Each structure stands twice: as C-alpha cells, then as structure tokens.
C-alpha cells in the first residue's frame, strides 16, 4: 500500500469529515461506539459523536492494563527542584487514580460535578485529573502562578463541589504556599465547595491542621482534609460511563475582558482527536516517550502531558523545573538523555532562555540525545533566529505548531507522522487535517493569497476543540462565531503563502503572550485603573527578546497627583501581582501626559504598540490630537 500523503489525508478530512472522524474513532475504546460523527442540528454549535459513550480515564489507563501492559511506565515524575525521579507504571497509576476517585466520591463528587484543582507539577495533579475523568466529574485546573482573585473568579464560575490542592509549589528561588491562596480565594468567592483536599508536601509553612483551625467557627467553611485522610476509608472507584458529548474539563483562559473564558472540552471528540494527533502529528505511540515541558495548568499540559500520551499507551514526563537555573541550561537535554525522550514539546521562550545561557549549545554535548526525533514548539510564534539555533544545536527537525486553549490541539503543524514537509522558518507549516483555515478581511471576505488578514477556521471545527464556554453559549457565539458567520474567529492574524504555508503574525485583540503564558492587557488595565492616582491608562504588549512579549503600562495621573513614577510603579506592580499573579510579569510603568485617542475616545493601542516595537506605525485619520503621539514618541520608541 502506498504511503498516505498530507494532501490526500487533508482533502479527505475536509471533504468527508463524517467518515474521516468515524474511522479515527476506531482507535478509542467505547462503551457504545459512535454510529454518527457530526451533530449539526444546533449549528453553529456543533457536537461530535452524539450517540456514543465512553470513559476517558478507562481509555487512558484501564485499557492498557487490561491489554497486559500494566508494567509499562505511564508517568515519569522528574523534579529538578527537588532532585527526584519517580517512574509510575500504568498499573500503579490506575490504582492511585481508582483510590483517589473513591476519595472524591466519598466527598460527594459525582458525574457532572466540578472539581477545581489548584496544583503544581506533581504526580498528584495527574492523579486528580484522571480521577475526575473516571467519575465523569468535570475538572478545572488552575495554574499555580495565578493569584487568589483569579482563583476566586474560577471558583465562582465553575462552582466546584471539591477543591483539590497541595501545600505548595516549588519555584527555583522560593516556595509558593497554596493553602493561604485557597483560603483567600474562598474569602473572596461567593461559592464555597463542601471540601478542600490537600496533598501535603514537606517544606511548607501551612498545614491542613492550620487551615482547619482557621476555618473553625467560620460560617459555611469547607471541610479541610489531607490527601491521606481522604484516602483512609476510600474504596477504588469504577469508571463511570459518560456521553461523548459530556464535559471532561473546563479550562479558563484570558479573553479581552477581566472575566476569563471557561473553555469546555468534551470526552469523546477529545479522546478521538488527541489519539489521532499522537501518531499523525507527533509520531509517538505505545511505549515511546513524550515530554511536554509545560504545566498542567495550561492547555498544552492538559493535552500532551496528561491525556494524549496516556491515551496511546506512551510514557509521559512530568517535569517540575525550569529550562535554565535548575540548575543549568542543560536541564532539558539531561531529561532527554535520562528518559529516552522521542518527542520534546516546549515554548519558544524556553529555547530563548536556554540559548541566552548557552549560546553555543555546549550543554547538549554533555548528553546522549540520540533518542530525540523532533522538537515541537508552540505558545507563541517561533522566531526564525531561535528556530535556526535550535535546529543547529539539536540536529533534529524543530517543528513550530500553532494552537490555542480553545482548540486543544494544533490547528497548523508539520504533519510529521503523515509526511515530513519541508520546514520553513517563521511558519507553523500547514493546516492540520480537520481544520479548514482561511484568511479573511474585516468584512469576512477571503483576502488575496499572501495578504495578511484574520485567520478563521471554517465550521465545523474538528473534534476535540471547544464545545462551548462554561454555562455561556451566548458568549461562546459572540466571542468566536459572530465576527465571520460560518467560521470560527481565531483572534490571530496572518497569511497563507503560495505553497499553502500559514504564517501566524499576532493577535488582533488585547491578548498577549508573556513567556508562553496567555494574558489579557484589558484585565491589567482594569486593575491599574483602580489606583487612586490613575486617571487613565493603557497596557500594551511590547516585544521582548526573551519572553516574546511583556506588558507595559502607560499612565496618565489625576490632576494634582504628586506621586512619583517610582512609587506609582511599585504600587501598580503590587496591584497586578495580587490581582492576576506573578506570572503576569507586569514591571514596566511610564507616566505620560496624555494617551493617543480617536475622536470617539478609543485609545490607539495598536499604534502605541507599533511605536514601542520600533515598527512603522499607522495613525488613523480619526485621531483626536496628533501632538499626543509626537510627545509619546520619546517615551515609547525603543532606545537605541
Ligand atoms: N507558581 C507560582 N509562581 C510562578 C509559577 C508557578 N507555577 N510560574 C511562574 N511563577 C512566577 C515566577 O516565580 C516569577 O515570579 P517573580 O516575578 O517573583 O520572580 C513570575 O511568575 C514570572 O515567572 P516566569 O514566567 O517563569 O519568568 P522567569 O523570568 O522566572 O523565567 C522562563 C523565564 C522563560 C525561563 C520561563 O518563563 C519559562 O520556563 N517559560 C516557559 C513557559 C512554558 O513552558 N509555557 C507553556 C506554554 S506551551
Ligand atoms: P494559548 O491559548 O495560551 O495556547 O494561546 C494561544 C495564542 O498563542 C494563539 O492565539 C496565538 O496568538 C499564540 N500562539 C500559540 N502558538 C503559536 C504559534 N506556534 N505561532 C504563533 N502564535 C502562537
């Protein structure tokens, strides 16, 4: 039989999606197999595999154990910050998950209930997520770098029955205490879960006993239980059958406003798409090792640290550490060497950090990285310089692929497992089968080839992409489906060249990417505006050689304010850290006389960003006062 080409697979996926995805669905173990792939009865909201049933956890664990592969390694927990390497087999992971699912059930968690996990990069995070999936409960993982206020907004939106957390996270220079953050979030939130289960780690100041004591006498306080206490009387729980269309998880991501969007992922489409992607994009299968150096709090972590590798019976590496400084710039290559990693997935910012510390790639020479067949990157555009550096020092294909929390898996990639297409620096290559990508002008008409415009995906999106926003179909439709009827608006702009290669150039909205972390400048502006001396402000994402982008705040002071720029900067940094979290990395503040605006009062953020990036900037004819821009130039323009 001749080898399938990307072109033939792609054509098949967009011309006959029904059969394409029913075929792909055969790789999943169903309780009730699908007889139909697409349900378009409620378009523009589409659902996949409407008549099928399964359990995602059973697909990730039980099926491999039942097939006699329980001794294979499912998970390698590798902590560079604690110097621990632990291998967990499929059988052991299944046992841990069954028992923890039993403990959750003891706390009243049942199918459809939400469980919020505020967890760092430890094995218990994976156990917690899979235990929810086992019960048919919906997990919502919150990244540890978010502040209590962000946690509170997720508690109020998802209304969890139980919160699962741990004593804390270990950052290279400090320990982050999670228990006080959860307590503070619960003080702010309206919703209270019935229990908080805490995995206790050594070396932290706050214990469950402390939290319990503090909660005494507090009206409506949740029960605080340690992980060990919760497991004491727990019975292993069976996998609960759910509809393919039932939600598996909610993952909150930044939108343009302060209110995060709760992206909902279903069970069936997710299992099918991720299983398909492992072979066809990453070329990783049973017993092979995939390492995704991200965090379980991000979508990349959900898909390629936890679910996808386990769905196909591969080994996944859970790395608690940084690309540099834990202890050196050889940390990544050491793990490839130690675990025989075949596919490594990271963010461009991590590569830039390594390159800065080790420009010649000397650390690579200290390790045997011959197991590595490809390096995948996502989270932000892979700039050509970083691409060339990584390709040279590693000697393997370096594959940029473009995706979003909303899609859950790649929209554009080199289809490495189908056909290795030539790599072009600066492009995430071509649309992945299932995604019909087009470039549209502001009116929704296709632009000429090579011309930049809004990147949109023709509906229906393939399986595994967002089903809706949690409890808010209207916001789902207004955020993504209304701008270009019949299409999903990605919020990114870019172009397609004559070879069909896609180039993703940046966001068209107020979303920025700082060190591969997606943040909202609109949300930062809302926080900055609460300072008593601030009359007006704009926060824009400016180019940063290490982090991709960094947020910069420009503030107009209230008349009569006497606060110094330094003092204001200190206050604002503190406000944003406590409002969003340290991960916002908000450090730049400048006081300006006025902000450039249109006559209708809209701040010209794009013009400011172009000016700050040293680009040719566009000045709309509707500008209120040109002199404001001239005055800003000396503050905004990059210093030579
Ligand atoms: N919990 C608590 N705080 C966290 C955190 C977490 N999980 N992750 C980061 N932070 C904090 C850091 O401690 C730091 O705090 P500080 O300002 O008090 O020092 C702040 O958030 C910013 O951290 P970070 O974004 O990690 O920046 P950095 O300068 O410390 O490190 C990199 C730069 C490039 C090494 C780092 O950002 C990195 O590894 N990025 C890769 C990100 C990634 O993989 N993203 C996945 C997308 S696919
Ligand atoms: P997130 O939802 O955090 O994954 O962020 C998604 C956004 O990150 C996208 O909309 C893009 O703006 C950006 N992004 C992710 N991957 C890439 C990539 N490979 N190239 C360009 N931009 C990317």
């Amino acid at each position: 039989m001749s080898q399938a080409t990307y072109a033939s697979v792609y054509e098949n996926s967009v011309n006959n999606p029904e059969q394409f995805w029913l075929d792909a669905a055969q790789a999943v173990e169903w309780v009730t197999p699908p007889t139909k792939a697409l349900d378009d009865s409620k378009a523009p909201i589409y659902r996949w595999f409407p008549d099928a049933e399964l359990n995602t956890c059973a697909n990730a664990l039980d099926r491999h154990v039942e097939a006699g592969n329980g001794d294979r390694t499912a998970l390698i927990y590798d902590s560079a910050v604690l110097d621990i390497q632990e291998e967990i087999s499929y059988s052991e992971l299944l046992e841990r998950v069954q028992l923890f699912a039993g403990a959750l059930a003891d706390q009243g968690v049942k199918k459809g209930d939400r469980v919020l996990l505020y967890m760092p990069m430890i094995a218990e995070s994976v156990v917690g997520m899979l235990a929810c999936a086992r019960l048919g409960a919906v997990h919502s993982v919150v990244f540890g770098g978010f502040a209590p206020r962000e946690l509170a907004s997720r508690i109020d939106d998802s209304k969890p029955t139980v919160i699962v957390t741990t004593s804390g996270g270990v950052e290279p220079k400090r320990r982050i205490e999670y228990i006080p953050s959860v307590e503070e979030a619960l003080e702010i939130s309206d919703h209270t879960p019935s229990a908080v289960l805490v995995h206790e780690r050594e070396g932290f100041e706050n214990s469950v006993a402390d939290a319990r004591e503090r909660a005494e006498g507090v009206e409506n306080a949740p029960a605080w239980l340690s992980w060990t206490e919760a497991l004491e009387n727990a019975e292993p729980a069976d996998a609960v059958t759910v509809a393919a269309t039932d939600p598996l998880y909610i993952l909150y991501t930044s939108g343009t406003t302060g209110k995060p969007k709760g992206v909902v992922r279903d069970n069936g489409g997710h299992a099918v798409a991720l299983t398909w992607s492992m072979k066809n994009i990453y070329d990783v299968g049973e017993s092979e090792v995939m390492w995704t150096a991200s965090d379980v709090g991000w979508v990349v972590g959900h898909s390629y640290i936890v679910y996808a590798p386990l769905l196909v019976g591969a080994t996944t590496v859970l790395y608690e550490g940084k690309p540099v400084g834990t202890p050196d710039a050889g940390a990544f290559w050491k793990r490839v060497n130690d675990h025989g990693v075949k596919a490594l997935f990271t963010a461009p910012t991590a590569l830039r950090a390594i390159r800065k510390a080790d420009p010649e790639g000397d650390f690579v020479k200290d390790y045997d990285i011959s197991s590595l067949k490809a390096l995948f990157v996502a989270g932000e555009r892979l700039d050509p310089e970083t691409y060339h550096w990584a390709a040279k020092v590693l000697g393997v294909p370096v594959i940029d692929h473009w995706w979003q929390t909303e899609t859950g898996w790649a929209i554009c990639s080199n289809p490495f497992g189908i056909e290795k297409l030539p790599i072009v620096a600066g492009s995430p290559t071509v649309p992945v089968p299932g995604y019909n990508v087009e470039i549209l002008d502001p009116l929704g008409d296709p632009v000429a080839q090579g011309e930049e415009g809004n990147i949109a995906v023709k509906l229906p999106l393939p399986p595994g992409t967002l089903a809706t926003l949690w409890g808010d179909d209207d916001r789902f439709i207004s955020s993504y489906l209304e701008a270009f009827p019949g299409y999903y608006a990605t919020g990114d702009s870019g172009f397609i060249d004559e070879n069909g290669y896609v180039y993703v150039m940046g966001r068209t909205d107020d979303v920025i990417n700082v060190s591969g972390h997606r943040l909202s400048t609109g949300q930062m502006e809302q926080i900055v505006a609460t300072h008593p001396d601030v009359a007006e402000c704009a926060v824009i994402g400016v180019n940063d050689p290490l982090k991709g982008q960094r947020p910069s705040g420009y503030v107009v002071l209230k008349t009569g304010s006497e606060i110094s720029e330094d003092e204001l900067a200190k206050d604002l940094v503190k406000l944003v850290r406590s409002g969003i979290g340290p991960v916002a990395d908000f450090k730049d503040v400048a006081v300006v006389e006025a902000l450039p605006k249109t006559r209708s009062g809209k701040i010209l953020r794009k013009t400011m960003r172009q000016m700050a990036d040293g680009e040719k900037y566009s000045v709309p004819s509707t500008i209120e006062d040109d002199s404001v821009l001239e005055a800003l130039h000396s503050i905004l323009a990059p210093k030579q």
Side-chain angles (χ1 to χ4, degrees):
M1 216 173 79
S2 67
Q3 185 79 21
T5 60
Y6 159 72
S8 65
V9 177
Y10 183 77
E11 287 304 312
N12 192 15
S13 77
V14 291
N15 294 335
N16 191 2
E18 181 72 18
Q19 197 53 49
F20 184 88
W21 290 114
L22 276 179
D23 288 347
Q26 289 185 18
V28 167
E29 200 171 81
W30 302 92
V31 176
T32 309
T35 63
K36 187 174 161 49
L38 183 66
D39 174 6
D40 57 4
S41 61
K42 294 203 177 74
I45 296 187
Y46 295 86
R47 303 308 308 268
W48 288 94
F49 311 112
D51 60 2
E53 295 177 308
L54 78 165
N55 181 280
T56 298
C57 174
N59 269 277
L61 299 177
D62 306 50
R63 72 181 290 192
H64 307 307
V65 176
E66 284 159 14
N69 299 325
D71 290 343
R72 288 188 184 159
T73 304
L75 182 76
I76 301 172
Y77 165 58
D78 186 327
S79 175
V81 285
L82 298 178
D83 202 15
I84 300 173
Q85 286 190 351
E86 185 193 355
E87 293 197 359
I88 305 173
S89 69
Y90 271 95
S91 301
E92 194 190 338
L93 188 57
L94 174 59
E95 270 171 39
R96 289 207 207 176
V97 168
Q98 282 171 320
L99 213 56
F100 191 63
L104 287 176
D106 288 346
Q107 297 306 317
V109 175
K110 51 186 189 325
K111 182 168 152 178
D113 288 352
R114 275 78 57 213
V115 174
L116 185 144
L117 290 103
Y118 187 52
M119 296 289 274
M121 289 292 284
I122 53 176
E124 285 72 16
S125 308
V126 181
V127 171
M129 290 164 78
L130 291 170
C132 292
R134 193 163 191 84
L135 296 176
V138 184
H139 61 69
S140 176
V141 182
V142 179
F143 177 62
F146 280 126
R149 201 160 282 284
E150 288 287 296
L151 186 54
S153 75
R154 285 150 174 82
I155 293 173
D156 277 335
D157 199 68
S158 63
K159 300 190 173 43
T161 306
V162 167
I163 292 182
V164 179
T165 189
T166 175
S167 314
V170 185
E171 283 291 291
K173 290 193 206 108
R174 62 199 166 107
R175 297 208 164 204
I176 318 281
E177 299 275 334
Y178 280 21
I179 293 177
S181 292
V182 174
E183 288 176 312
E184 198 181 327
L186 289 172
E187 270 171 37
I188 304 169
S189 68
D190 293 328
H191 175 82
T192 308
S194 59
V196 183
L197 304 188
V198 187
H199 166 69
E200 293 201 287
R201 300 183 88 183
E202 276 177 19
F204 290 85
E205 284 173 15
N206 290 271
S207 68
V208 173
D210 299 330
R212 211 178 274 149
E213 207 178 301
R214 289 192 285 261
E216 242 168 59
V218 176
E219 207 186 322
N220 197 23
W224 285 81
L225 280 175
S226 74
W227 188 281
T228 324
E229 288 165 335
L231 288 181
E232 254 161 29
N233 300 313
E235 293 289 330
D238 287 336
V240 173
T241 299
V242 299
T245 51
D246 279 340
L248 169 68
Y249 69 77
I250 309 168
L251 181 58
Y252 289 88
T253 190
S254 300
T256 47
T257 66
K259 190 175 183 294
K261 294 168 165 173
V263 167
V264 176
R265 196 87 56 217
D266 68 12
N267 275 273
H270 175 255
V272 171
L274 290 194
T275 302
W276 185 91
S277 73
M278 283 299 282
K279 163 79 191 86
N280 294 288
I281 297 180
Y282 302 97
D283 199 20
V284 172
E286 268 190 343
S287 297
E288 294 179 325
V289 184
M290 178 167 200
W291 173 26
T292 300
S294 176
D295 189 288
V296 288
W298 305 116
V299 68
V300 169
H302 278 59
S303 295
Y304 294 104
I305 296 174
V306 184
Y307 285 107
L310 299 178
L311 284 167
V312 301
T315 298
T316 184
V317 179
L318 183 82
Y319 173 68
E320 189 181 33
K322 301 273 174 181
V324 293
T326 57
D328 55 41
F332 275 22
W333 325 132
K334 172 174 164 49
R335 268 80 209 172
V336 171
N337 173 107
D338 290 359
H339 309 309
V341 172
K342 181 178 182 191
L344 170 59
F345 181 169
T346 189
T349 187
L351 298 178
R352 287 194 296 267
I354 297 172
R355 178 178 169 213
K356 194 170 163 207
D358 180 21
E360 301 305 321
D362 289 335
F363 275 109
V364 180
K365 297 170 199 138
D366 294 346
Y367 300 101
D368 175 2
I369 61 158
S370 56
S371 62
L372 191 68
K373 297 294 169 258
L375 170 67
F376 291 85
V377 296
E380 53 172 317
R381 178 167 179 261
L382 175 62
D383 56 286
E385 246 183 89
T386 306
Y387 163 77
H388 289 298
W389 176 82
K392 183 168 155 236
V393 303
L394 295 176
V396 298
V398 176
I399 297 174
D400 182 14
H401 60 333
W402 166 57
W403 49 305
Q404 310 181 310
T405 305
E406 287 85 346
T407 63
W409 63 296
I411 310 167
C412 284
S413 178
N414 204 309
F416 196 63
I418 304 173
E419 183 186 352
K420 295 174 177 55
L421 294 180
I423 294 173
V424 176
S427 164
T429 319
V430 289
V432 165
Y435 289 95
N436 196 343
V437 176
E438 290 187 25
I439 311 293
L440 305 178
D441 69 15
L443 297 176
D445 293 320
V447 300
Q449 190 185 72
E451 208 176 285
E452 189 168 337
N454 301 287
I455 316 182
V457 185
K458 208 163 194 296
L459 296 174
L461 290 173
T465 51
L466 79 171
T468 185
L469 294 179
W470 181 250
D472 206 345
D473 284 351
D474 289 346
R475 190 175 181 207
F476 170 51
I477 293 173
S478 64
S479 301
Y480 302 105
L481 309 179
E482 265 176 14
F484 309 114
Y487 292 86
Y488 163 81
T490 64
D492 280 304
S493 82
F495 63 93
I496 303 182
D497 75 6
E498 67 281 10
N499 299 314
Y501 276 49
V502 178
Y503 293 75
V504 182
M505 304 312 290
R507 297 284 306 189
T508 55
D509 55 17
D510 295 339
V511 167
I512 59 170
N513 252 294
V514 183
S515 299
H517 305 144
R518 174 165 158 181
L519 299 159
S520 159
T521 51
Q523 186 181 7
M524 292 184 209
E525 284 180 8
Q526 282 173 15
I527 294 173
V528 169
T530 62
H531 190 284
D533 288 280
V534 171
E536 268 194 309
C537 67
V539 178
I540 56 172
V542 301
N543 285 339
D544 184 275
L546 175 65
K547 303 193 169 192
Q549 283 183 300
R550 65 169 195 281
S552 281
Y554 300 92
V555 174
V556 180
L557 292 178
K558 282 186 182 156
T559 314
S561 162
E562 287 182 0
I563 194 165
S564 70
E565 197 169 59
D566 273 359
E567 200 185 329
L568 179 74
K570 266 194 211 132
D571 286 358
L572 295 182
V573 167
K574 211 164 137 199
L575 269 181
V576 176
R577 273 180 90 91
S578 67
I580 299 177
V583 76
D585 226 4
F586 179 83
K587 290 182 180 135
D588 295 357
V589 176
V591 172
V592 296
E593 285 298 315
L595 292 168
K597 288 187 195 160
T598 60
R599 281 190 287 274
S600 60
K602 198 169 169 285
I603 297 172
L604 298 173
R605 293 182 180 80
K606 187 172 171 202
T607 310
M608 290 175 70
R609 190 182 48 70
Q610 288 169 327
M611 203 180 243
D613 288 343
E615 289 171 13
K616 198 164 161 275
Y617 55 90
S618 47
V619 182
S621 55
T622 52
I623 189 162
E624 189 187 32
D625 178 359
D626 293 18
S627 65
V628 173
L629 266 186
E630 280 157 32
L632 269 181
H633 198 270
S634 62
I635 298 176
L636 276 142
K639 311 277 172 288
Q640 294 308 318

